[in-house]
Amino acid sequence: MNVIQERYKEDKWMGVVEVKDLDLYYGSTQALKKINLSIEKNAVTALIGPSGCGKSTFLRTLNRMNDLIEGVRIDGQLLFEGKDLYKDFDEIELRKRIGMVFQRPNPFPMSIYDNIAYGPRIHGLNDKNKLDEIVEKSLKGAALWDEVKDRLKKNALGLSGGQQQRLCIARTLAVEPEILLMDEPTSALDPISTSKVEELMDTLKEKYTVIIVTHNMQQAGRISDYTAFFLSGEVVEFSKTEDIFYKPKDKRTEDYITGRFG
Ligand SMILES: Nc1ncnc2c1ncn2[C@@H]1O[C@H](COP(=O)(O)OP(=O)(O)OP(=O)(O)O)[C@@H](O)[C@H]1O
Ligand SMILES: [Mg+2]
């Protein structure tokens, strides 16, 4: 019995996101095959697997970023809070509620303050006091406030790589998403910045649902509650992280975890 069946048996809930028999094609090439996953609210779910197995593609289906890529076709069902993610939501609204942090920090070439205020302003907020409040709260949420509070008007491109990535996390938090999608958010960072972002995860999941792609097994083990192992566009195994790491059911999962292939 897999983790999804267990939860249904316990009659606990539906996940905040439910993925049912999801197929995705780039033109005639199938990149995702019959994906079934159930994402628990206020938990960290890690997506692992070798390069090209479909992790980023899957992550992008969750806030409809693939809609921006020509020739993409999707079959199956994605539910967000029980509603059809593709039919029942306006995509701008959806991307506010399901935010994304990318592999490479990509701050806008403007001040630290304006980077954070950008999203709220786009959504119509102009009140200076309210914006000040959001900027402070978001930077605190991303564990960056103390390092930048005296230089908010300085250009964000002057920050270190690790600081830039936390700024991007803060920028995403500023529009108060419910879900944070993170695609290898620490792969371009040094070990100290990486551990700062990792420490953040524990606090983030009190408020947010986090789905993170990582190539770093130790990282997946340290920060996630659930892990999905992807291989060639399929989810081979999806389980509690400790089970994936210590009691993998599939030989291919075991081989990957122990570094025998990948
Ligand atoms: N825009 C695209 N057009 C066509 N094919 C694509 C596109 N993006 C990805 N693919 C293909 O889909 C498959 C899955 O790619 P994806 O980027 O999701 O893998 P990944 O697991 O994130 O890999 P990595 O760990 O290297 O980031 C690959 O075969 C890739 O070449
Ligand atoms: Mg990727």
Side-chain angles (χ1 to χ4, degrees):
M1 195 157 50
N2 68 30
V3 70
I4 302 179
Q5 290 163 332
E6 269 168 35
R7 282 193 201 136
Y8 282 130
K9 188 166 156 254
E10 290 165 19
D11 201 21
K12 251 165 92 185
W13 47 267
M14 299 253 299
V16 60
V17 172
E18 294 277 334
V19 181
K20 293 178 182 155
D21 292 334
L22 175 71
D23 291 322
L24 181 142
Y25 302 82
Y26 290 112
S28 57
T29 317
Q30 188 167 8
L32 296 176
K33 298 167 195 160
K34 293 276 169 290
I35 306 287
N36 284 281
L37 282 179
S38 176
I39 305 294
E40 185 170 321
K41 201 174 162 76
N42 295 102
V44 177
T45 300
L47 313 179
I48 62 169
S51 186
C53 66
K55 305 177 297 294
S56 298
T57 299
F58 174 69
L59 207 64
R60 285 196 298 264
T61 62
L62 300 179
N63 71 347
R64 289 170 45 181
M65 295 277 285
N66 289 316
D67 291 10
L68 309 171
I69 302 172
E70 206 173 317
V72 170
R73 187 164 63 80
I74 284 179
D75 277 335
Q77 207 178 22
L78 284 136
L79 301 178
F80 173 37
E81 293 181 338
K83 289 195 268 180
D84 192 312
L85 204 148
Y86 279 75
K87 296 196 184 108
D88 299 335
F89 294 91
D90 164 68
E91 66 196 37
I92 304 296
E93 175 66 16
L94 185 81
R95 290 190 196 125
K96 178 175 178 296
R97 296 178 64 185
I98 306 184
M100 185 133 170
V101 176
F102 299 88
Q103 179 167 5
R104 305 220 160 263
N106 54 351
F108 304 133
M110 51 178 81
S111 73
I112 294 170
Y113 186 100
D114 288 341
N115 262 274
I116 312 288
Y118 188 87
R121 279 178 177 145
I122 279 197
H123 290 284
L125 187 75
N126 281 307
D127 181 284
K128 165 104 173 41
N129 292 335
K130 189 82 185 102
L131 284 172
D132 287 353
E133 215 174 276
I134 291 175
V135 168
E136 178 169 344
K137 191 169 134 206
S138 307
L139 287 167
K140 283 182 172 161
L144 187 58
W145 175 249
D146 289 337
E147 288 161 66
V148 301
K149 61 176 190 288
D150 301 321
R151 54 194 280 205
L152 294 176
K153 297 291 174 195
K154 294 265 161 61
N155 196 306
L157 299 177
L159 296 171
S160 75
Q163 289 172 330
Q164 289 188 10
Q165 191 60 310
R166 279 177 285 143
L167 179 76
C168 293
I169 294 172
R171 189 176 65 191
T172 309
L173 298 183
V175 295
E176 304 194 312
E178 288 145 68
I179 301 184
L180 274 179
L181 308 175
M182 300 182 146
D183 198 349
E184 303 189 51
T186 61
S187 67
L189 306 186
D190 67 86
I192 291 171
S193 309
T194 296
S195 61
K196 283 197 176 156
V197 173
E198 283 185 12
E199 278 164 30
L200 243 182
M201 295 294 167
D202 270 343
T203 28
L204 288 180
K205 75 179 183 194
E206 290 167 15
K207 273 185 81 180
Y208 309 94
T209 302
V210 179
I211 307 174
I212 179 170
V213 172
T214 177
H215 273 282
N216 180 328
M217 292 301 130
Q218 284 89 0
Q219 180 170 72
R222 278 193 298 267
I223 65 177
S224 69
D225 303 289
Y226 295 93
T227 296
F229 171 53
F230 280 69
L231 189 64
S232 310
E234 292 177 68
V235 172
V236 168
E237 197 163 341
F238 172 51
S239 206
K240 291 212 167 98
T241 296
E242 69 233 40
D243 292 341
I244 287 274
F245 281 84
Y246 299 113
K247 290 181 277 176
K249 292 197 177 97
D250 195 291
K251 177 81 168 57
R252 292 167 295 175
T253 314
E254 188 181 339
D255 287 350
Y256 185 72
I257 298 288
T258 55
R260 274 198 281 274
F261 82 88

